[in-house]
């Protein structure tokens, strides 16, 4: 079963460890200061109560949760906290609910008149909608929404579906060879320092013919010990996931690369020839 209300993240910042996840949850007031372990949260909507886990974040105001069917959804941490209360859905949550047009159906007293529905659907609002810019097609301006909503939305949905189906990623760990293209950084909203990453090109996956030219990974302390340089050809084992690198046109990430080693430069020269 899939959920049509899901706002999928364009890119997700992962937690380096369970300790970091716990610290972030404390910052978002999703865990008490004395907590030593993570917990399962509840997502409530239209009479449903669904167990979810926090798997990452987009920025300081957008948490990424994952349902049991593996769908990921962007949500404001304060709103997720409100969902954990027994009274959620039985009283008005004005500051947060006003910013969550997609969840307004839970509040019967705030249900808009029928003539206003097209405008509301055409204007995404709140942190959840903002976090998904780039993943979900932009809606037309509110002044034109009534005329354009029916023909435009199906076309954009079809285009998005076609784009997602372009590459079928194996779920197992893969043996990968690639060449180091670039060392760069991406913003980390929870730190004074940016996150260091590596972009790889000329990607080849043993036993698979995947249309993937570039991937990226975190430049971890373990990888730094290899003293990689631009142009180095490497081999490693990792799982490839569809996770776009922030501010870069690289759509796929390698998670926790292991057994990484440099390939002899002489072999690299032969490959380039």
């Amino acid at each position: 079963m899939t959920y049509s209300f899901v706002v999928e993240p364009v890119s997700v910042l992962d937690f380096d460890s369970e300790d970091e996840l716990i610290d972030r949850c404390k910052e978002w007031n999703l865990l008490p200061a004395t907590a030593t372990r993570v917990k399962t949260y509840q997502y409530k909507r239209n009479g449903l109560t669904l167990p979810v886990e926090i798997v990452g974040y987009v920025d300081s105001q957008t948490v990424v949760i994952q349902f049991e069917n593996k769908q990921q959804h962007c949500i404001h941490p304060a709103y997720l906290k409100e969902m954990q209360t027994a009274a959620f859905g039985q009283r008005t949550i004005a500051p947060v609910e006003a910013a969550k047009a997609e969840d307004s159906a839970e509040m019967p007293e705030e249900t808009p008149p029928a003539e206003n529905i097209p405008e509301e659907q055409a204007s995404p609002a709140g942190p959840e909608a903002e976090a998904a810019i780039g993943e979900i097609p932009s809606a037309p301006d509110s002044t034109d929404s009534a005329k354009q909503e029916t023909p435009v939305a199906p076309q954009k949905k079809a285009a998005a579906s076609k784009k997602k189906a372009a590459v079928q990623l194996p779920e197992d760990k893969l043996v990968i060879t690639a060449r180091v293209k670039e060392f760069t950084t991406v913003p980390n909203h929870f730190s004074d320092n940016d996150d260091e990453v590596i972009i790889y090109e000329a990607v080849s996956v043993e036993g698979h013919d995947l249309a993937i030219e570039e991937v990226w990974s975190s430049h971890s302390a373990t990888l730094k010990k290899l003293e990689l340089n631009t142009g180095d050809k490497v081999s490693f084992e990792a799982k490839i996931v569809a996770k776009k690198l922030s501010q870069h046109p690289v759509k796929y990430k390698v998670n926790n690369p292991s057994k990484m080693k440099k390939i002899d430069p002489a072999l690299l020269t032969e490959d380039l020839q």
Side-chain angles (χ1 to χ4, degrees):
M1 176 180 179
T2 58
Y3 304 114
S4 59
F5 59 81
V6 163
V7 179
E8 297 183 359
V10 176
S11 62
V12 182
L13 296 175
D14 297 321
F15 301 109
D16 291 335
S17 63
E18 185 174 307
D19 289 339
E20 184 190 2
L21 169 57
I22 293 172
D23 290 340
R24 300 293 190 207
C25 288
K26 290 178 181 179
E27 291 176 13
W28 294 320
N29 295 318
L30 291 170
L31 283 177
T34 56
T36 59
R37 63 180 61 186
V38 296
K39 59 175 284 188
T40 299
Y41 294 88
Q42 293 182 333
Y43 182 88
K44 300 177 182 178
R45 179 189 179 91
N46 296 342
L48 294 175
T49 299
L50 306 170
V52 296
E53 60 177 333
I54 297 176
V55 295
Y57 58 95
V58 175
D59 53 41
S60 59
Q61 299 299 316
T62 310
V63 175
V64 178
I65 57 176
Q66 182 168 285
F67 298 94
E68 290 183 326
N69 66 355
K70 304 303 181 183
Q71 279 187 283
Q72 294 184 345
H73 180 59
C74 296
I75 187 170
H76 194 282
Y79 192 46
L80 180 60
K81 180 182 178 182
E82 289 289 346
M83 288 185 178
Q84 310 316 303
T85 63
F88 180 83
Q90 301 175 12
R91 57 188 176 86
T92 303
I93 313 173
V96 179
E97 193 68 16
K100 301 291 183 301
E102 67 161 297
D103 289 321
S104 60
E106 294 181 7
M107 311 299 293
E109 64 274 19
E110 294 184 9
T111 302
E115 60 270 22
N116 292 333
I117 290 178
E119 181 176 357
E120 180 178 341
Q121 292 175 341
S123 303
E128 296 183 26
E130 292 175 3
I133 293 174
E135 178 74 16
I136 296 178
S138 300
D141 293 337
S142 57
T143 54
D144 298 324
S145 60
K147 297 178 181 179
Q148 298 183 7
E149 184 174 2
T150 301
V152 174
Q155 293 174 358
K156 292 188 177 181
K157 252 185 208 178
S161 299
K162 184 177 180 181
K163 183 178 180 181
K164 289 181 183 178
V167 177
Q168 296 296 325
L169 297 172
E171 296 186 359
D172 300 329
K173 259 196 168 185
L174 306 169
V175 178
I176 302 168
T177 58
R179 185 167 56 238
V180 177
K181 176 182 179 181
E182 180 184 353
F183 296 90
T184 186
T185 59
V186 292
N188 184 334
H189 299 281
F190 295 97
S191 173
D192 294 332
N193 300 317
D194 292 343
D195 290 335
E196 299 179 39
V197 300
I198 305 177
I199 298 176
Y200 307 88
E201 62 182 355
V203 178
S204 175
V205 180
E206 184 177 300
H208 297 274
D209 184 16
L210 300 178
I212 298 177
E213 297 180 355
E214 296 182 342
V215 295
W216 67 278
S217 74
S218 299
H219 194 188
S220 65
T222 302
L223 294 185
K224 288 180 180 179
K225 293 178 182 178
L226 292 175
E227 299 181 349
L228 297 174
N229 295 302
T230 302
D232 282 347
K233 191 169 184 181
V234 294
S235 67
F236 53 89
E237 294 182 9
K239 180 180 178 181
I240 298 180
V241 296
K243 192 170 294 185
K244 186 179 182 298
L245 178 60
S246 176
Q247 301 179 354
H248 293 78
V250 185
K251 301 177 182 179
Y252 302 98
K253 178 186 178 185
V254 289
N255 278 346
N256 303 318
S258 61
K259 300 181 181 179
M260 181 173 285
K261 60 183 179 180
K262 294 182 184 180
I263 296 178
D264 191 321
L267 297 177
L268 174 59
T269 302
E270 292 176 3
D271 290 343
L272 292 176
Q273 293 175 345

